[in-house]
Structure formats: C-alpha cells, structure tokens
Amino acid sequence: MRFEVTILGSSSATPIYNRNPTSQALNINDHLYLIDCGEGTQQQMLRFDIKASRISHIFISHLHGDHYLGLVGLLSSLHLNGRTKPLYLYGPAPLMEIIEIQLKYSETTLQFPITFKATDASIKEVLLDNQDIIVETIPLQHRIATTGFLFRQKKRSRKLIKERIDQLAIPVPYFSALKKGADYTAPDGTIHKNDTLTLDPDEPRSYAYCSDTLYGESYFDQITDATVLYHEATFLHAMIDRANDTHHTTALQAGEAALKTNAKKLLIGHFSARYKNLIELLDEARSIFPNTELAIEGKTFVIE
Amino acid sequence: MRFEVTILGSSSATPIYNRNPTSQALNINDHLYLIDCGEGTQQQMLRFDIKASRISHIFISHLHGDHYLGLVGLLSSLHLNGRTKPLYLYGPAPLMEIIEIQLKYSETTLQFPITFKATDASIKEVLLDNQDIIVETIPLQHRIATTGFLFRQKKRSRKLIKERIDQLAIPVPYFSALKKGADYTAPDGTIHKNDTLTLDPDEPRSYAYCSDTLYGESYFDQITDATVLYHEATFLHAMIDRANDTHHTTALQAGEAALKTNAKKLLIGHFSARYKNLIELLDEARSIFPNTELAIEGKTFVIE
C-alpha cells in the first residue's frame, strides 16, 4: 500500500524566497490527505504535480496564518474547477467561521459540501477511521490551540505464501479467510494450519506530524515508534530561549524527540527565515538522531 | 518624478503554474502603493525585490479571493518583521472584518496601526490626496461591489529655463515663485515676464487601474486620457458570452476601452488560466489598440 508524504512548504511565518509556509500532501493508498495549507499551497501543488481535485481530507493544525492562509483560495479553486464531491475538513472550531465570512463576502456558494469536524487541542481523539488508516490528533503545546496528527495504518492482513497455495491448489474464495488467520481443510480432510500457509503481515506504518510546539514529553507516548516522525525545528539550539519564548522547537530537540520516541526516521521543517542555508539545522538534528532528513519543498518521503 | 508600476500577478481566480493572482506595486516618487494583493503576493515581492516594508498604502478593488487573499499574510509578516509605522488601507467595508477575525483567532495584535477607509463602489470619490498624487475610486460593474483606482499626479510646477536664469543671475529664493508663474523684477526695475523664464510643466501623468469589470461606458469619462490604462482582459472575444456572464472583459473590449478613452498605453491582465500562451490575447487587443502590452509578472512599466 502506497504511503508517502510530499512536502509543499518548509518555512515558518515570515516569508523567504523559494520556500513556502507549511503544507504537506499525504498519499495513502492513492487517496490524498492535505496537512496544513499555508499561503501559496495551490501553486506548490501545481509545481509538484499534486492534483488538488483528488484531495479528500484536509487537516489544519492551528490558526496561525502560515498553516492555513492558503485554504480559502484552494476551496475557491476547487469550486471554480467544478468539484462536487464532498471534502472533509478538520481543524480548530473558528476555522469554519473564517472560511464562511470570506465566502459570504465574495458571494460564493461552494458547489461541494464540506464536512467539518472541529479539533480539540486539549485531548487526543480519533478524527478519521477508514479502510486504510486511523487519524488522531496529537495535542501540542503552542501559543494558541494546536494539534499534530498521527496517521496509523490499519493492521494489515496476513500474507499468503504463494508457493504453498499453488502446491495445495487452494481455490481463490478461501484467500480472504486465510488472510484473516483461518486454517484450511483440504478436500481429503487434512487440516493445514494457517501459519504454514501465510506469513505475518507487515507492521502497520505510521506518520506522526508534530507542527509548532514547545518541546515536551507530553506527546511522546502517543508518537512512540513512528515509522516517520515529522517534527518542527524552527531554530538552531543556540536560540533555545527564542524557541521557548515563541513555543517552538530547536533542531537538537527535534533529534531528541525522535530518539526518545524510537522513531525510525525523522523529518524536520518549519525553518525560520533567518536560516538561508539549512545544513546546520540538519547537522544539529543528526548529531542526536542520524536518520534525519530536511522536509523541503518537492521532496517525497516513502513511509516504510 | 518616478512613476512606475511593477506587475506581481496576472492571473484570474483559478491558479496556473508560474502566474500569480492580481497584485501590482506602484512606485510614485519612491513611495510604494500596492494595488490588490492576491495569494502569494509576498513571495512575488521577494522575487522581484519590492520591499514590503516600504509600502505605505494598500488598495483592494473587491473581495474576490484572487484580489485580496495575500493580505492577511502580508500584514502578519510586516508585524513579525517589526513594522511600527502606520499603514493606510482602502477597500470594501467588510475587509476589516475579514482581517480582524483572522488576527483575533491567531491571537495577533499588530504592532502598527492600520488606518482603514472603506470604498463605496456606487460613487467615485477621492481616497487620498498627498504631495504627489490624487487617488480616486473608479466604480466598476462586477458581480460584487468593485472599484478600480485612478492615480493622477498633481499638477506640476513650471520648469525654469536654466540658461535664462543664469543669464539674469536670478537668486535662488525667487525660484519657487517663478515655478508658480510669477514674473521677475530685476534690480534695475526691468520686468521679465514669467513665460520668458519658464516652460509649461509636464502634463500630469495618470494610471487608471480597471480590474474585474463588465465592459461598459459608465467608467470611460473618468479614465479618459490616461497615460497608462490597465484593463482586465480575462478572455478572448470568442468567449464574449462567458465574459458577460461572469462580468469580465475580453481582450478586444480592453483595446476598445483604451481607444475610446484616448489612453496613451494599454496594459492587459487578469488572464483566464485556460490561456497557456498569452500572445493571442495581446494580438487581439493590439488589433484595436496597437500600443498594448501584457501586464505579466516581473514587468515594470514607466508611466510616461
């Protein structure tokens, strides 16, 4: 099952040429989920060939502009391009008020329905549970109500051992039961135990998105063992005071978060515009957690 | 006196790669005036080296997203970059409500004051009258309340004829009066008529910005004799029905507007995303009004 994230924006609030504010497109089993939608996200989707029309769910972490100011433009464009299928939107409760006032004054009635679910940054809760994934909020500690999002694959089916299936000429209608762990009784009455016919499924993979937060242990339990952890790393650790004042994280702390929660891979992003070159941020995170990458515009990371 | 416009965006509502929605930066005597502020305008200013901090006045024509969705991000960035000097903002009355709700939920108190003046699309009125220019609204005919903006230079002073001034050794303190049309009485009592000492001033130049409108004569009187007329030209004339339905103008009509109002030069913009190549739009406008240019991203036009 496809499970990958494409980075559309890597910058924090003040703009810098050639970086965009935060947005990421998750492709899970060929369904598109958008996480945050900073100004210019539409252009970034055009640039990196992400089809906006295919987005089914949008998750907004909080109401600082660098995380949502591209949303009304995106909704308008979907409308103008003829979308009629529903869109599922998740974010802080006032988000709908912000959208509605702008639609009202532009005299726009969207041609597609938005199903909105307000997030509550004080608790973790499941937002979505479909055939592929479960998405839950990660309560974070920022200056305003903010949640991250944890995308966990559903537990997978057991994997058929093709040569055994062929050897026993097991008919196709039995496959579904075998994948769920059933034994197989052959026409001659012989019982073949499931573990001789199938292998354990792949571990469910997960993507933990931790955007805009003071470094702290409060969310570590929830993100433990993430296949890929995205963690903001706005500053170098030399600016820890500024990070604390503004409720942000340093690259060193992002590395520590990955190490302490046993992530397999760390992506860092949300870089302050003061860093023209990002290599120092990467080196700092890698000094703690070597398997770190920069989550920069246009990069696609497979969650594996 | 410097009087030039740099185009930051040329597209209409649906996005297209490498074009941005409408925004233009006017430099008048080294003061910066921003007209409209579509999504991504901040990035365009970085790209074309327009210093956002130097903007003193922002004019928003109407509340369709492609004309203002970059504004809240711009205001936030000015705030984060430490602006304290006042900003003058002009646009439809609900614009302040839209800004304030977003500042409220991001818990942002701008460090600089905004002086807002609501425009009224039913009348033409002077918005600004300073040492360099007079700015007035141009009531347009769009689906929602929309105004263009007419920037007219103040009447200039008469120009001293340097060789005559030197010949008569006229002292500097007299210059101001001469520029206003006074005669000069020499120490020997001879009266030198002003028209022997000065030349007529340059014609005041003007920039008429007509954004998003049904083609119509109602605003022609007001924009007559513009030095440069910017007129939207969303469609080719083959799509006149669509232009009428959506209250937009065709390239042919934009050429006619320039011809009928005796513009010196025409700029066309606000192109539909369906036109990957703009040359047909340019050719169509030029078939009526040859001195037409495409108002595309990064181009600077001197108003002369």
Side-chain angles (χ1 to χ4, degrees):
Chain A
M1 189 178 97
R2 200 166 172 179
F3 192 5
E4 62 188 36
V5 61
T6 298
I7 308 303
L8 301 174
S10 72
S11 80
S12 53
T14 50
I16 172 168
Y17 181 54
N18 247 343
R19 288 186 215 152
N20 265 72
T22 300
S23 184
Q24 303 187 355
L26 262 180
N27 183 322
I28 303 177
N29 204 14
D30 288 323
H31 294 274
L32 276 189
Y33 302 79
L34 191 71
I35 313 175
D36 282 337
C37 187
E39 182 177 350
T41 294
Q42 292 188 82
Q43 279 289 330
Q44 294 295 86
M45 286 196 275
L46 289 170
R47 186 171 167 195
F48 300 123
D49 205 23
I50 302 286
K51 302 273 178 282
S53 60
R54 290 187 45 225
I55 293 168
S56 53
H57 298 73
I58 301 178
F59 300 87
I60 301 295
S61 64
H62 67 299
L63 295 181
H64 281 153
D66 54 325
H67 294 259
Y68 84 89
L69 285 178
L71 184 59
V72 171
L74 174 61
L75 298 178
S76 301
S77 298
L78 292 174
H79 163 76
L80 290 169
N81 285 327
R83 183 188 184 107
T84 54
K85 69 177 176 184
L87 185 82
Y88 298 89
L89 178 64
Y90 308 85
L95 183 59
M96 273 316 286
E97 188 182 342
I98 289 170
I99 293 169
E100 280 165 0
I101 192 177
Q102 295 184 77
L103 294 177
K104 178 177 93 174
Y105 290 123
S106 69
E107 296 182 14
T108 302
T109 304
L110 295 180
Q111 296 183 67
F112 60 91
I114 295 179
T115 300
F116 178 68
K117 180 169 168 51
T119 54
D120 177 347
S122 68
I123 50 162
K124 67 176 178 186
E125 62 180 328
V126 171
L127 295 178
L128 173 65
D129 183 338
N130 66 21
Q131 72 284 4
D132 297 321
I133 49 154
I134 297 168
V135 185
E136 58 189 45
T137 53
I138 306 170
L140 298 173
Q141 297 172 41
H142 196 42
R143 302 193 302 282
I144 61 173
T146 302
T147 72
F149 302 103
L150 179 62
F151 294 78
R152 287 185 292 118
Q153 269 189 324
K154 285 285 182 67
K155 197 161 163 45
R156 312 296 295 158
S157 309
R158 297 189 63 78
K159 297 194 287 188
L160 303 180
I161 304 171
K162 190 168 180 305
E163 58 230 53
R164 292 282 293 141
I165 304 297
D166 290 349
Q167 201 175 29
L168 296 169
I170 303 177
V172 171
Y174 287 84
F175 289 4
S176 171
L178 293 179
K179 287 179 180 174
K180 288 177 184 148
D183 298 334
Y184 171 63
T185 306
D188 67 3
T190 316
I191 293 173
H192 298 271
K193 302 295 282 182
N194 186 277
D195 62 9
T196 67
L197 305 172
T198 68
L199 296 172
D200 286 343
D202 292 333
E203 257 323 274
R205 292 166 282 168
S206 62
Y207 183 59
Y209 173 86
C210 295
S211 157
D212 288 30
T213 186
L214 201 60
Y215 174 81
E217 315 247 316
S218 63
Y219 53 95
F220 282 8
D221 267 2
Q222 198 186 353
I223 64 172
T224 291
D225 297 331
T227 315
V228 175
L229 167 64
Y230 165 84
H231 202 291
E232 71 122 305
T234 309
F235 300 106
L236 286 171
H237 204 69
M239 296 198 70
I240 180 67
D241 291 346
R242 177 97 179 125
N244 286 334
D245 284 353
T246 57
H247 285 217
H248 281 300
T249 303
T250 68
L252 190 106
Q253 291 176 320
E256 280 174 358
L259 185 69
K260 288 187 180 172
T261 63
N262 194 37
K264 286 206 179 56
K265 184 198 265 293
L266 171 65
L267 307 179
I268 56 172
H270 199 265
F271 309 117
S272 164
R274 60 173 52 71
Y275 304 113
K276 307 303 172 215
N277 185 322
L278 302 173
I279 198 73
E280 281 186 87
L281 290 149
L282 181 61
D283 286 347
E284 188 173 281
R286 282 185 173 169
S287 72
I288 305 293
F289 190 83
N291 192 15
T292 302
E293 301 286 348
L294 295 170
I296 51 177
E297 286 76 0
K299 281 265 191 185
T300 295
F301 300 95
V302 177
I303 317 296
E304 62 186 353
Chain B
M1 189 177 96
R2 199 166 172 178
F3 192 6
E4 62 187 37
V5 61
T6 298
I7 309 303
L8 301 174
S10 71
S11 79
S12 54
T14 50
I16 174 167
Y17 182 55
N18 247 344
R19 289 186 214 151
N20 266 72
T22 302
S23 183
Q24 304 188 355
L26 261 181
N27 184 323
I28 303 176
N29 204 14
D30 288 324
H31 294 273
L32 276 190
Y33 302 79
L34 192 71
I35 313 175
D36 281 339
C37 186
E39 183 177 349
T41 295
Q42 292 187 81
Q43 279 291 329
Q44 294 296 86
M45 287 196 274
L46 289 169
R47 186 171 168 196
F48 300 122
D49 205 24
I50 302 286
K51 301 273 178 284
S53 60
R54 289 186 46 224
I55 293 168
S56 53
H57 298 73
I58 300 178
F59 300 86
I60 301 295
S61 64
H62 67 300
L63 295 181
H64 281 154
D66 54 325
H67 293 258
Y68 84 90
L69 285 177
L71 184 60
V72 171
L74 173 61
L75 298 178
S76 300
S77 299
L78 293 173
H79 163 76
L80 290 170
N81 286 327
R83 183 188 184 106
T84 53
K85 69 177 178 185
L87 185 81
Y88 298 89
L89 178 63
Y90 308 85
L95 182 59
M96 272 318 285
E97 189 183 342
I98 289 171
I99 293 169
E100 279 165 1
I101 192 177
Q102 294 184 78
L103 294 177
K104 178 177 92 174
Y105 289 124
S106 69
E107 295 183 13
T108 302
T109 305
L110 295 179
Q111 296 182 68
F112 60 91
I114 295 179
T115 301
F116 178 69
K117 180 170 169 50
T119 54
D120 177 347
S122 67
I123 50 162
K124 68 177 177 186
E125 62 180 329
V126 171
L127 296 177
L128 174 65
D129 183 339
N130 66 21
Q131 72 286 1
D132 298 321
I133 49 156
I134 296 169
V135 185
E136 60 189 43
T137 54
I138 306 170
L140 297 173
Q141 296 172 42
H142 196 40
R143 301 195 302 282
I144 60 173
T146 301
T147 70
F149 302 103
L150 178 64
F151 295 78
R152 288 186 290 119
Q153 269 189 324
K154 286 284 182 68
K155 198 160 160 51
R156 312 295 295 158
S157 309
R158 298 188 63 76
K159 296 194 288 187
L160 302 179
I161 303 171
K162 190 170 179 303
E163 58 231 50
R164 292 283 294 140
I165 303 299
D166 291 349
Q167 201 175 27
L168 296 169
I170 302 178
V172 171
Y174 287 84
F175 289 5
S176 172
L178 293 179
K179 287 180 181 174
K180 288 177 184 148
D183 297 335
Y184 171 63
T185 306
D188 67 2
T190 317
I191 291 172
H192 299 270
K193 301 297 281 180
N194 186 278
D195 62 10
T196 67
L197 305 172
T198 68
L199 297 173
D200 286 344
D202 292 334
E203 257 321 275
R205 294 168 279 167
S206 62
Y207 182 59
Y209 173 86
C210 294
S211 157
D212 287 30
T213 186
L214 201 61
Y215 173 82
E217 315 247 317
S218 64
Y219 53 96
F220 282 8
D221 266 1
Q222 198 185 354
I223 64 172
T224 291
D225 296 331
T227 314
V228 176
L229 166 64
Y230 165 84
H231 202 291
E232 71 121 309
T234 307
F235 300 106
L236 285 171
H237 204 69
M239 295 198 70
I240 180 67
D241 290 345
R242 175 98 179 125
N244 286 335
D245 284 352
T246 57
H247 284 219
H248 282 298
T249 303
T250 68
L252 190 107
Q253 291 176 321
E256 280 174 359
L259 186 69
K260 288 187 179 172
T261 63
N262 194 37
K264 287 207 177 56
K265 183 198 266 295
L266 170 65
L267 306 179
I268 56 172
H270 200 264
F271 309 116
S272 164
R274 59 174 51 72
Y275 305 113
K276 307 303 173 217
N277 186 321
L278 303 174
I279 199 72
E280 281 185 88
L281 289 148
L282 181 61
D283 286 348
E284 187 172 282
R286 281 185 173 169
S287 73
I288 304 293
F289 190 83
N291 192 14
T292 301
E293 301 285 348
L294 295 171
I296 51 177
E297 285 77 358
K299 281 265 193 187
T300 295
F301 300 94
V302 178
I303 318 297
E304 62 186 351

